[in-house]
Amino acid sequence: MSITLDQVTKRYQGSPVVNDVSLEVGEGEFYVLLGPSGSGKSTLLRAIAGLTGVDHGRIALHGNDVTHVSARQRGVGLVFQNYALFRHMTVGENIEFALKVRRMKSAERRKELLRLVALEGMDDRLPTQLSGGQQQRVAVARALAHKPPVLLLDEPFGALDAKIREELRRTIRQVQRELKITTVLVTHDQEEAFAMADRIGVMNLGRLLESGKPDELYARPATRFVATFLGAANLLLARQTEQGIRFGAAPVNARRVEKLEGGREQEVVAVLRPEEVELAPTRDNLRTNFIANGIVEEQVFTGAFERMRVRMADGAANAHIASPNANGGSNGSAALLDVTRTQHEQRLFPLSLGQSVAIGVRRIHVLPTPLSSYTAYGSDEASCERLSQHPLLVELASRMKTRIIKRNEAPLVACDAPASAPVSGVAVIAAGQKTADQLQWLLQNGAGEVLVLPAHSSPPQKVLIHWADDSARRSTLAVAASLLRHVAAEAVYVGILPEGSGGESQRPFGVRTLLDARSEAQAVHGLEMRTELRFGAAADELQRQLTESQDPMLILGVSDPAQLRGTFGTLFTSGATYPMMIVYRPSKDSEGAVE
Ligand code: ADP
Ligand code: MG
């Protein structure tokens, strides 16, 4: 490997701006770090270059650990957005300066470098006599002068106009191929990432969410963020049943990442790309899976493609949670489906505004996230309303581009009658004296995830993860991975062994469990987390760590509702002061007891 990052974390004012990033960039690979402004890309690049230290983790270049090596000794080639050339020096002098600093022979090398970046014969020009694109070529040549081990480029095209940008892209790609130099390029522009990358890594909120080949990330994203950042995507809520994925009443073809967990029917989030939608006059004319009827509401011709928005009718409208141009939520625009059609499709079935259509889908991709939507539970209208406006809940739902439903359930008080409707998605309750009873009631009524919110809580900075036993491990990790993509918090899995000699002798076993948990989180759920081993009673240890942490949150997995009263009872008796996410999947043995 050319560049290896292992759980690299960089904090500013206590908050992680680069959060547990692990990454391997291969020899000669062109890797693009893509993400919105502020997601931590530049900070990560500076950490690789050694221009900033890290708070946690390791960095290796070509197998050598350079975590504590100075920027100068790492010697990576760097190019930034603003050209950073010496204004009073000619092109030739700018490059020679870089060579002299490294005591390298200059004349031949200079010629060679200028040829590489297609600036032959421009040695005597001053930067002011060059276009922006040409200045950036000089910057690239200079960065390569001393034959650096890797080349790092931070938004190098930012200040250039479209045509120049494309030329420079091509030059950089040619140079990179010719030299076979390992390169990391940072950009916020997905088109640029697609145009250049061997592999793309998408960052948000300091985390590296997913890493992969451009076409694979586009076709099979694992996260909402990547799905919507790498191009237009409609997000839909569907149901996963024994018979497959259902959208409203209609079954659809979908690629499901995981099997139906424990035979449990559940709500899932599906990605529908605008180009995967088929429109036809009637349902019978569709060649693909029918999902709903609709009406054309907006239409734009953009040359090669026709873009339109179709309002879905019937119950299908409820399934729709976000389209590329809507802000998500359950407002009116959410039932609008973004559709693009080729000219060929337009000729076969010309459409005009207001026309009725049958909507079919060629392909739907189901995300592996277990967090689909939120339902705020209260025992009266006012408490539902209050809870649905909880800042943390609103923030989570908005980042997840999903909706918050309100459900007024009187049994929340008595906790003995059945729910008026089955619980789907994440149930949300306000923390209080009756939290344990309410949890029990929700779990018995089919909830798999319950978010418990104290009236006042800041966005979490540290998320502790723990599960009662192995049967809750997988789902707890899945929930943790999904949640942690939407908050800027550090994640720590806490393994707890009984205190005393019995516990100590189990230390090797405990350590191995931690390592396994970390690998599983990484491999199966794309989550990087740190691990800690503690000894003592589980609830006490968790309580201790929660109290010690700044703005903590707890994700707790159980396989039997009784564990919430038994082992973890003390966490709920006093009314928690931090948010908690309870994950419940019945183990094979306890399943019968709950049903
Ligand atoms: P990107 O390059 O993806 O736009 P940056 O890595 O520049 O993101 O910044 C990530 C976050 O870290 C931002 O919120 C930014 O304000 C913060 N940040 C970056 N550098 C510093 C610094 N030296 N001091 C404090 N905060 C910083
Ligand atoms: Mg930046």
Side-chain angles (χ1 to χ4, degrees):
M1 280 303 140
S2 218
I3 303 174
T4 309
L5 308 180
D6 184 29
Q7 298 202 306
V8 169
T9 298
K10 174 72 185 177
R11 301 185 192 104
Y12 285 119
Q13 284 92 45
S15 306
V17 299
V18 170
N19 194 353
D20 248 353
V21 172
S22 296
L23 170 67
E24 295 198 329
V25 182
E27 206 61 59
E29 192 176 16
F30 198 107
Y31 190 89
V32 174
L33 269 178
L34 173 68
S37 168
S39 55
K41 309 179 298 292
S42 296
T43 306
L44 184 58
L45 210 67
R46 286 204 304 274
I48 299 172
L51 297 174
T52 179
V54 299
D55 293 299
H56 181 90
R58 313 216 64 82
I59 299 171
L61 297 179
H62 298 286
N64 302 316
D65 189 325
V66 297
T67 316
H68 303 291
V69 170
S70 72
R72 213 178 130 61
Q73 283 173 305
R74 291 189 206 184
V76 306
L78 274 170
V79 179
F80 296 104
Q81 174 173 341
N82 46 354
Y83 323 118
L85 299 180
F86 296 115
R87 300 265 130 206
H88 60 282
M89 291 186 192
T90 64
V91 167
E93 288 164 348
N94 260 287
I95 294 174
E96 296 220 344
F97 182 81
L99 291 167
K100 275 197 198 118
V101 168
R102 306 265 165 191
R103 296 200 182 81
M104 293 174 81
K105 277 257 185 333
S106 55
E108 276 302 297
R109 182 79 185 135
R110 182 174 96 189
K111 240 179 158 174
E112 162 72 9
L113 286 163
L114 286 177
R115 181 197 60 76
L116 263 177
V117 297
L119 286 180
E120 287 146 307
M122 301 242 190
D123 306 54
D124 297 330
R125 301 263 188 107
L126 283 168
T128 45
Q129 296 169 310
L130 298 177
S131 71
Q134 289 171 326
Q135 289 184 51
Q136 210 50 328
R137 282 163 202 264
V138 179
V140 171
R142 202 179 57 175
L144 292 169
H146 63 283
K147 304 192 173 163
V150 298
L151 178 63
L152 307 179
L153 308 151
D154 193 348
E155 313 248 11
F157 314 108
L160 305 172
D161 61 47
K163 192 162 172 289
I164 309 259
R165 190 185 280 235
E166 214 170 304
E167 275 173 26
L168 185 60
R169 268 185 205 164
R170 204 164 295 134
T171 308
I172 289 183
R173 207 56 176 100
Q174 272 164 8
V175 170
Q176 191 270 340
R177 287 214 176 90
E178 187 172 335
L179 300 181
K180 298 189 178 64
I181 182 169
T182 308
T183 302
V184 179
L185 177 132
V186 158
T187 180
H188 63 273
D189 180 338
Q190 55 93 9
E191 193 196 312
E192 195 157 288
F194 278 137
M196 302 196 75
D198 290 325
R199 262 191 321 148
I200 297 175
V202 182
M203 283 189 81
N204 192 36
L205 298 173
R207 282 190 180 270
L208 181 64
L209 296 185
E210 294 184 56
S211 199
K213 296 213 172 89
D215 53 332
E216 285 167 11
L217 280 188
Y218 184 81
R220 283 181 294 282
T223 65
R224 278 172 263 241
F225 187 84
V226 172
T228 51
F229 200 74
L230 288 185
N234 297 285
L235 294 182
L236 307 162
L237 289 176
R239 286 204 78 74
Q240 189 189 8
T241 69
E242 292 292 356
Q243 289 76 41
I245 303 297
R246 291 189 158 266
F247 181 74
V252 292
N253 283 331
R255 298 191 196 199
R256 178 64 184 136
V257 186
E258 280 178 72
K259 273 192 145 157
L260 201 56
E261 204 181 1
R264 176 173 168 267
E265 188 177 318
Q266 61 186 354
E267 189 177 67
V268 292
V269 180
V271 177
L272 175 57
R273 297 275 181 211
E275 67 272 20
E276 302 285 4
V277 179
E278 185 197 359
L279 300 178
T282 67
R283 184 172 179 163
D284 292 338
N285 300 106
L286 283 173
R287 279 180 295 172
T288 57
N289 278 293
F290 170 81
I291 56 163
N293 290 304
I295 290 171
V296 179
E297 238 181 52
E298 275 178 46
Q299 213 173 6
V300 192
F301 178 68
T302 60
F305 295 98
E306 179 188 43
R307 300 189 48 181
M308 59 175 81
R309 305 182 85 188
V310 178
R311 182 170 296 280
M312 293 194 289
D314 331 321
N318 291 332
H320 194 241
I321 50 179
S323 62
N325 306 313
N327 295 322
S330 52
N331 53 21
S333 69
L336 286 171
L337 197 66
D338 271 49
V339 181
T340 54
R341 300 200 306 165
T342 61
Q343 296 210 344
H344 178 68
E345 287 174 287
Q346 292 170 51
R347 278 193 295 272
L348 289 180
F349 179 37
L351 275 170
S352 50
L353 278 184
Q355 197 166 333
S356 296
V357 289
I359 305 168
V361 299
R362 296 188 183 93
R363 183 175 169 276
I364 261 187
H365 169 70
V366 176
L367 298 178
T369 176
L371 303 180
S372 49
S373 66
Y374 292 95
T375 305
Y377 281 84
S379 49
D380 55 61
E381 294 290 340
S383 60
C384 286
E385 184 61 35
R386 214 169 30 246
L387 186 57
S388 74
Q389 288 174 17
H390 192 289
L392 180 55
L393 178 57
V394 171
E395 183 70 31
L396 280 175
S398 142
R399 287 192 176 154
M400 292 182 179
K401 299 177 166 57
T402 192
R403 64 184 174 202
I404 305 168
I405 296 169
K406 285 170 273 190
R407 186 152 289 158
N408 178 1
E409 287 275 7
L412 264 187
V413 184
C415 296
D416 46 11
S420 60
V423 181
S424 69
V426 181
V428 188
I429 53 173
Q433 299 303 320
K434 298 187 66 109
T435 301
D437 294 340
Q438 293 173 348
L439 277 169
Q440 187 97 14
W441 182 83
L442 284 164
L443 301 189
Q444 274 164 359
N445 281 284
E449 299 85 20
V450 185
L451 178 62
V452 183
L453 293 175
H456 304 285
S457 60
S458 318
Q461 294 229 26
K462 187 165 180 184
V463 174
L464 300 184
I465 303 162
H466 182 76
W467 44 84
D469 55 66
D470 254 7
S471 38
R473 186 191 63 236
R474 191 183 173 84
S475 1
T476 312
L477 281 175
V479 167
S482 190
L483 191 93
L484 280 155
R485 283 177 208 126
H486 304 97
V487 294
E490 296 178 51
V492 181
Y493 166 65
V494 187
I496 305 171
L497 290 174
E499 206 158 24
S501 58
E504 259 320 311
S505 69
Q506 287 204 46
R507 183 180 279 275
F509 165 77
V511 170
R512 205 180 64 225
T513 314
L514 296 190
L515 292 177
D516 288 349
R518 190 194 150 189
S519 325
E520 183 175 335
Q522 208 172 25
V524 183
H525 308 283
L527 169 70
E528 275 296 334
M529 59 179 194
R530 267 165 263 146
T531 57
E532 279 174 23
L533 186 60
R534 298 280 156 154
F535 295 89
D540 295 347
E541 280 309 310
L542 289 174
Q543 189 73 66
R544 197 190 328 276
Q545 292 215 39
L546 287 160
T547 317
E548 282 168 7
S549 309
Q550 174 88 25
D551 299 320
M553 175 170 183
L554 173 66
I555 299 178
L556 179 64
V558 297
S559 59
D560 181 348
Q563 289 163 334
L564 295 175
R565 290 179 188 280
T567 324
F568 301 105
T570 52
L571 292 175
F572 302 99
T573 44
S574 51
T577 54
Y578 42 82
M580 284 191 274
M581 176 74 89
I582 308 302
V583 184
Y584 165 59
R585 295 293 185 280
S587 68
K588 290 280 178 294
D589 319 332
S590 67
E591 205 163 356
V594 181
E595 297 288 300

